[in-house]
Amino acid sequence: MKKYLITGASGFVAFHFMNYLDSLENDTIEVLGIDSIIPNDSENYQFKHIKLRFITLNLLDYSALEIAMTSFSPTYVVHLASFSSVGKSWDEPIDSFINNTNIFLNVVEIIRKNGLICRLLSVGSSEEYGNVQENCIPLKESMPLQPVSPYAIARVSQEMLSKCYVSSYKLDIILTRSFNHIGPRQRDLFVIPSFIKHILENIKNGQHDIVLSTGDVSIIRDFLDVRDVVKAYYLLLEKGISGELYNVCSGIGHTLQEIIDMISSLLKVNVQPVIDLKKIRPNDNKIVIGDNSKTNDKTGWKPVITLTESLQDLITYWKELLGMRL
């Protein structure tokens, strides 16, 4: 029986990863979900082929985490727990760095010291690439890293730790640099759901000419649906080479202004972005578009869900949360 230990199990990506696992398997899979909180919609975590158990603990608590990991003895560890907001990392750099680095170090040390035989997915970020010239686009895994935010620096540290534990301790670790992903269940801590929530709240109040407070809407990002992301993670766990890095991205870039225009069109409203200088980050990547050919060559993975579909599904999700008619 395959056994998956998933950190950050109450989060956005973890739910979709479990949902994808459940759609693939005919045999029972054991999943141990670890998070600091239990999901508040646990009724939605009803799977046909997954035997799921949640436990709450602080991943910085080495002893408690060690007991959980060794008693479960996973086949795979999917490390999704993170302090994942770039913007928030500027406000709380210490918490961002400690959480994103030390919890990962706890996980790999427990695997090493206890001789656990498992494959670990270490999820990194496109933010690691930093500011690059347009002639470097699309970004390949071989590009030198130039992280510019506390979040990105922590992700680079996790990546370096991964490589150290592969080369020196022979742990089996697959590494990703994952680009921006969106989809249903994503919280408004992130930019696109925050746009959608604000616009829908205005529509609910009868407004159709809407002012939207934003940061820099000219920045370009590579957005990928979370349901495509988790398929890539699954295939990389099955087929990836230990110690190798893989971009998980769409290969297509859009400005935030284009995203706002698409949301406006889907909802049939007029949206006027107004830049709030407080939302401009101290140093932001201007253009981030990835090359997914290495991931495709190794696993056969390609994204299939369009950005329009992603936005529509995210709109539907937030309409339900806000009690609006679908």
Side-chain angles (χ1 to χ4, degrees), residues 119 172-175 236 239-246 298:
R119 169 162 276 201
D172 185 5
I173 305 177
I174 303 295
L175 298 86
L236 287 170
K239 300 180 180 182
I241 298 173
S242 185
E244 286 290 315
L245 262 163
Y246 299 91
K298 188 61 190 172

Side-chain angles (χ1 to χ4, degrees), residues 196-202 204 315-325:
I196 288 172
K197 180 185 178 186
H198 176 82
I199 294 167
L200 287 175
E201 286 175 333
N202 277 266
K204 191 176 181 180
I315 287 168
T316 299
Y317 171 73
W318 275 97
K319 278 185 174 181
E320 290 175 349
L321 279 188
L322 295 171
M324 298 174 68
R325 189 169 58 188

Side-chain angles (χ1 to χ4, degrees), residues 186-197:
Q186 191 173 30
R187 295 174 299 155
D188 60 333
L189 178 65
F190 299 92
V191 61
I192 294 181
S194 74
F195 289 169
I196 288 172
K197 180 185 178 186

Side-chain angles (χ1 to χ4, degrees), residues 6 15 18 68 71 108 125 137 143 146 198 201 214 221 278 290 298:
I6 303 175
F15 174 85
M18 287 187 268
S71 60
V108 290
S125 169
I137 298 297
M143 276 285 297
Q146 304 176 74
H198 176 82
E201 286 175 333
T214 72
R221 292 294 182 266
K278 293 179 182 178
K298 188 61 190 172

Side-chain angles (χ1 to χ4, degrees), residues 59-283:
L59 292 167
L60 293 172
D61 185 341
Y62 183 95
S63 297
L65 181 59
E66 184 174 35
I67 291 169
M69 290 183 66
T70 55
S71 60
F72 184 65
S73 189
T75 315
Y76 299 106
V77 176
V78 183
H79 183 53
L80 299 175
S82 71
F83 192 108
S84 56
S85 169
V86 178
K88 199 171 180 182
S89 80
W90 286 110
D91 299 326
E92 302 175 28
I94 294 173
D95 285 347
S96 177
F97 192 85
I98 288 174
N99 276 278
N100 285 328
T101 305
N102 288 17
I103 61 176
F104 180 77
L105 187 54
N106 278 352
V107 169
V108 290
E109 265 295 275
I110 289 166
I111 293 171
R112 180 184 76 85
K113 284 190 172 181
N114 292 278
L116 298 179
I117 307 302
C118 59
R119 169 162 276 201
L120 168 65
L121 184 72
S122 173
V123 176
S125 169
S126 61
E127 291 289 326
E128 296 173 49
Y129 289 111
N131 277 321
V132 298
Q133 299 299 315
E134 286 196 42
N135 60 4
C136 296
I137 298 297
L139 297 162
K140 294 181 178 290
E141 291 87 347
S142 57
M143 276 285 297
L145 302 180
Q146 304 176 74
V148 296
S149 69
Y151 170 81
I153 292 166
R155 285 307 204 192
V156 171
S157 298
Q158 178 178 320
E159 187 174 293
M160 294 175 72
L161 282 168
S162 295
K163 291 181 177 180
C164 172
Y165 273 77
V166 171
S167 62
S168 300
Y169 298 126
K170 309 308 176 189
L171 265 62
D172 185 5
I173 305 177
I174 303 295
L175 298 86
T176 78
R177 290 190 190 132
S178 301
F179 288 59
N180 296 66
H181 33 285
I182 63 171
R185 299 180 66 88
Q186 191 173 30
R187 295 174 299 155
D188 60 333
L189 178 65
F190 299 92
V191 61
I192 294 181
S194 74
F195 289 169
I196 288 172
K197 180 185 178 186
H198 176 82
I199 294 167
L200 287 175
E201 286 175 333
N202 277 266
I203 292 172
K204 191 176 181 180
N205 291 330
Q207 300 174 40
H208 287 80
D209 292 301
I210 298 163
V211 174
L212 178 66
S213 175
T214 72
D216 182 358
V217 295
S218 70
I219 61 172
I220 298 171
R221 292 294 182 266
D222 182 328
F223 291 100
L224 185 64
D225 191 281
V226 65
R227 291 159 292 190
D228 280 325
V229 171
V230 298
K231 291 176 188 177
Y233 289 174
Y234 176 85
L235 288 169
L236 287 170
L237 280 168
E238 292 290 318
K239 300 180 180 182
I241 298 173
S242 185
E244 286 290 315
L245 262 163
Y246 299 91
N247 280 340
V248 178
C249 58
S250 73
I252 302 169
H254 294 276
T255 65
L256 289 184
Q257 180 62 63
E258 288 175 316
I259 301 293
I260 293 167
D261 292 342
M262 292 173 74
I263 296 168
S264 303
S265 177
L266 288 168
L267 289 171
K268 297 180 173 57
V269 292
N270 298 315
V271 177
Q272 178 61 49
V274 175
I275 293 177
D276 180 351
L277 293 180
K278 293 179 182 178
K279 294 183 178 181
I280 301 292
R281 294 171 183 170
N283 194 357

Side-chain angles (χ1 to χ4, degrees), residues 295-306:
T295 305
N296 173 256
D297 290 345
K298 188 61 190 172
T299 68
W301 172 85
K302 284 184 179 179
V304 297
I305 300 173
T306 67

